[in-house]
């Protein structure tokens, strides 16, 4: 099989992994001759199915000894298989970089022979790029749960980011669909990476010259909608990962149906808006001080698909509104729908000089249509009647649109499928 054919198989197989976005590192490596992450850093864009187009995103191989039911690469799947050699990946990365197609490499793999062997191969690719080719571009390596700590350390030495996929939101989900994956092995790998990151940071702060270790931190991916587990459990798992393993990001990836799938798996993907709501809720947990349990207002444990989680929280806690922007603490200002964290800081600065009016908020471009019912200024106090109104939620629902009778008609016009 030639390298082009391998590329088409192994780049396609990698598209199911959404955990490759990153902020990149701030500077390029000392002594690099090739590749830079300086200046604007690495800019990522995504195709609609989650592929990150500025990294060469491939698998070392889609052979795998495991049989995770949600995965197209599982051992029992009848998919076409291929495997790159270490040298082939190195060559492809350099060639793509030189043609300006990519800014770095995202490399994952099915598990071959055993976790240690697979991890060693992944680390060898990164080492060869860094040492033999002085490649300074971005490298994200998928870490294999169960691999030895020495190999994780070696991988972190050459990669900018490491990730270990949690895969499914709860141990029970994993037990049902991927019994060979052991939750403790996954969290142990994350812990090992975290400990080295902490060590690296504290040694640097103490003024020691230390070898780099995954400066862009670690991330993970969770598949959503493969099981019936509701958003509340998903967010609790994510919150635990942020608090205990100090992950930079949790990526949520809507389950995509695969050929000849197990009967327990759904026949279709969950609505993409669910993934979007989870990202919004995740953002609120990380930057707005919301707890995972607070964010889910629906009785079935899922986020509302109609309105965003912050607005849903406000509607479920109307007794706390309107919030007076001239007096409230930062934590409360952050809970006002339509006002973002940056505007909260601007409001805090502004109100030191004068009392805030509606015109000030509008100048700050807050989303006034969402904010008006929840905020109090010296010239605006939404009537309690308005906050108590039964139909308030309906005002925020997206307007209904006429659907096309024939979807393909629009596709034919705009070329999008
Ligand atoms: S270990 Fe990874 S590649 Fe292998 S079947 Fe499971 S999810 Fe797929």
């Amino acid at each position: 099989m030639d390298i082009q054919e391998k590329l088409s198989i192994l780049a396609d197989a990698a598209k199911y992994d959404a955990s490759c976005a990153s902020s990149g590192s701030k500077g390029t490596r000392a002594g690099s001759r090739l590749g830079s992450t300086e200046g604007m850093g690495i800019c990522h864009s995504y195709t609609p199915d989650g592929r990150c187009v500025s990294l060469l995103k491939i698998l070392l191989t889609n052979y795998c000894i495991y049989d995770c039911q949600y995965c197209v690469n599982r051992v029992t799947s009848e998919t076409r298989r291929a495997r790159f050699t270490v040298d082939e990946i190195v060559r492809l990365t350099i060639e793509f970089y030189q043609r300006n197609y990519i800014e770095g490499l995202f490399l994952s793999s099915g598990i071959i022979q055993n976790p240690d062997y697979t991890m060693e191969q992944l680390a060898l690719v990164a080492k060869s790029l860094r040492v033999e080719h002085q490649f300074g571009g971005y490298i994200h390596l998928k870490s294999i749960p169960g691999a030895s700590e020495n190999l994780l350390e070696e991988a972190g030495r050459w990669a900018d980011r490491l990730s270990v996929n949690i895969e499914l939101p709860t141990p029970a989900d994993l037990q049902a669909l991927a019994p060979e994956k052991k939750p403790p092995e996954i969290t142990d790998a994350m812990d090992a990476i975290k400990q080295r990151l902490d060590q690296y940071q504290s040694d640097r702060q103490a003024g020691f010259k230390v070898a780099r270790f995954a400066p862009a931190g670690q991330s993970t991916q969770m598949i959503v909608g493969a099981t019936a587990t509701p958003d509340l459990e998903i967010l609790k798992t994510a919150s635990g990962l942020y608090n205990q393993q100090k992950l930079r990001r949790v990526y949520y990836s809507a389950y995509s149906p695969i050929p000849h799938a197990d009967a327990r798996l759904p026949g279709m993907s969950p609505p993409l808006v669910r993934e979007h709501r989870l990202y919004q809720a995740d953002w609120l947990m990380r930057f707005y001080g919301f707890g995972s349990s607070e964010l889910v207002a629906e009785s079935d444990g899922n986020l509302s698909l109609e309105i965003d989680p912050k607005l849903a929280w406000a509607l479920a806690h109307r007794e706390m509104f309107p919030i007076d922007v001239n007096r409230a603490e930062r934590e409360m200002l952050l809970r006002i729908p339509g006002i973002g964290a940056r505007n909260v800081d601007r409001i805090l600065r502004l109100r030191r000089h004068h009392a805030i009016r509606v015109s000030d908020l509008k100048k700050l471009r807050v989303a006034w249509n969402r904010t008006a019912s929840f905020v109090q200024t010296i010239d605006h106090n939404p009537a309690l009647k308005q906050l108590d109104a039964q139909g308030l939620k309906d005002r925020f629902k997206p307007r209904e649109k006429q659907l096309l009778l024939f979807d393909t008609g629009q596709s034919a016009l705009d070329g999008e499928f």
Side-chain angles (χ1 to χ4, degrees):
M1 189 183 289
D2 70 18
I3 196 163
Q4 284 303 327
E5 217 173 334
K6 289 185 189 179
L7 188 59
S8 75
I9 295 171
L10 295 171
D12 188 62
K15 75 184 176 196
Y16 297 100
D17 199 320
S19 65
C20 72
S22 72
S23 52
S25 50
K26 291 225 163 46
T28 194
R29 291 186 172 235
S32 306
R33 283 193 318 209
L34 193 67
S36 169
T37 57
E38 280 177 337
M40 304 283 288
I42 292 175
C43 175
H44 298 93
S45 53
Y46 293 87
T47 54
D49 59 356
R51 276 172 297 159
C52 176
V53 292
S54 59
L55 298 177
L56 173 59
K57 185 179 180 183
I58 47 171
L59 300 186
L60 172 78
T61 177
N62 64 345
Y63 287 102
C64 188
I65 55 173
Y66 286 6
D67 198 22
C68 309
Q69 293 304 309
Y70 50 81
C71 178
V72 72
N73 302 322
R74 67 192 187 281
V75 66
T76 53
S77 167
E78 284 172 25
T79 192
R80 282 184 79 207
R81 309 279 177 173
R83 177 181 169 177
F84 281 125
T85 63
V86 168
D87 285 346
E88 282 171 338
I89 299 178
V90 169
R91 208 169 74 227
L92 273 176
T93 308
I94 299 294
E95 284 175 4
F96 274 52
Y97 189 88
Q98 285 172 333
R99 284 186 215 145
N100 215 14
Y101 288 170
I102 55 160
E103 293 148 289
L105 171 70
F106 170 85
L107 183 61
S108 181
S109 181
I111 297 171
I112 36 172
Q113 293 191 24
N114 55 51
D116 272 353
Y117 174 76
T118 314
M119 194 71 237
E120 192 179 22
Q121 296 290 297
L122 297 176
L124 274 175
V125 171
K127 183 176 180 182
S128 169
L129 279 167
R130 297 291 192 217
V131 177
E132 286 162 36
H133 301 274
Q134 287 92 50
F135 180 75
Y138 186 80
I139 299 179
H140 178 157
L141 289 187
K142 185 66 55 173
S143 310
I144 309 294
S148 76
E149 290 194 17
N150 288 347
L151 285 167
L152 291 178
E153 183 153 14
E154 176 74 1
R157 205 168 151 203
W158 311 116
D160 291 284
R161 173 165 284 192
L162 296 176
S163 57
V164 190
N165 280 355
I166 190 103
E167 306 287 6
L168 294 172
T170 66
D173 291 338
L174 273 178
Q175 178 60 35
L177 294 178
E180 290 145 311
K181 291 218 156 178
K182 306 284 176 242
E185 278 185 358
I186 298 172
T187 44
D188 283 355
M190 288 177 173
D191 284 339
I193 295 170
K194 178 189 170 286
Q195 278 166 17
R196 267 158 191 74
L197 284 168
D198 289 347
Q199 184 69 41
Y200 167 72
Q201 222 170 24
S202 67
D203 285 354
R204 275 196 64 181
Q205 277 162 3
F208 295 113
K209 205 164 178 231
V210 278
R212 282 165 69 114
F213 184 85
Q218 62 168 326
S219 59
T220 192
Q221 171 188 257
M222 212 186 305
I223 299 167
V224 173
T227 58
T229 301
D231 295 340
L232 179 58
E233 293 305 317
I234 293 171
L235 292 174
K236 278 187 186 165
T237 300
S239 169
L241 293 171
Y242 285 128
N243 293 333
Q244 284 143 34
Q245 272 84 19
K246 301 273 178 291
L247 292 197
R248 289 275 178 96
R249 286 293 302 273
V250 175
Y251 291 90
Y252 306 93
S253 164
Y255 167 70
S256 165
I258 49 173
H260 315 296
D262 185 282
R264 290 168 294 172
L265 287 160
M268 55 195 289
S269 298
L272 270 183
V273 67
R274 182 175 178 199
E275 198 183 280
H276 178 59
R277 295 287 180 237
L278 282 166
Y279 276 114
Q280 289 178 318
D282 184 279
W283 191 261
L284 291 174
M285 289 195 301
R286 287 188 294 144
F287 301 111
Y288 287 73
F290 282 85
S292 51
S293 318
E294 287 183 284
L295 284 164
V296 179
E298 303 292 304
S299 55
D300 63 357
N302 285 312
L303 295 164
S304 167
L305 297 183
E306 289 174 332
I307 52 174
D308 70 75
K310 195 176 178 191
L311 183 57
W313 181 86
L315 287 167
H317 295 85
R318 296 183 205 191
E319 72 286 356
M320 304 182 82
F321 294 93
I323 287 174
D324 185 345
V325 282
N326 284 300
R327 304 164 75 94
E329 303 279 332
R330 186 171 191 275
E331 294 70 42
M332 286 314 295
L333 293 177
L334 283 169
R335 295 196 167 223
I336 304 172
I339 299 188
R342 209 180 301 167
N343 269 338
V344 165
D345 291 333
R346 287 181 186 139
I347 287 168
L348 289 170
R349 278 200 300 273
L350 207 59
R351 78 185 189 185
R352 281 193 221 127
H353 303 290
H354 65 82
I356 291 182
R357 314 178 79 84
V358 172
S359 55
D360 293 314
L361 295 181
K362 288 191 174 171
K363 266 190 225 149
L364 292 177
R365 294 171 184 257
V366 304
W368 185 245
N369 57 341
R370 268 183 293 153
T371 305
S373 304
F374 300 98
V375 80
Q376 185 180 334
T377 63
I378 52 163
D379 56 347
H380 172 78
N381 188 356
L384 285 178
K385 259 203 299 189
Q386 188 188 334
L387 259 173
D388 285 343
Q390 288 280 336
L392 185 59
K393 183 175 176 186
D394 295 334
R395 283 189 22 212
F396 300 110
K397 286 186 187 169
R399 287 214 192 105
E400 308 219 334
K401 296 197 289 222
Q402 175 72 51
L403 293 174
L404 287 173
L405 193 52
F406 302 105
D407 282 349
T408 49
Q410 185 61 30
S411 302
L413 286 176
D414 58 19
E416 297 279 335
F417 290 92

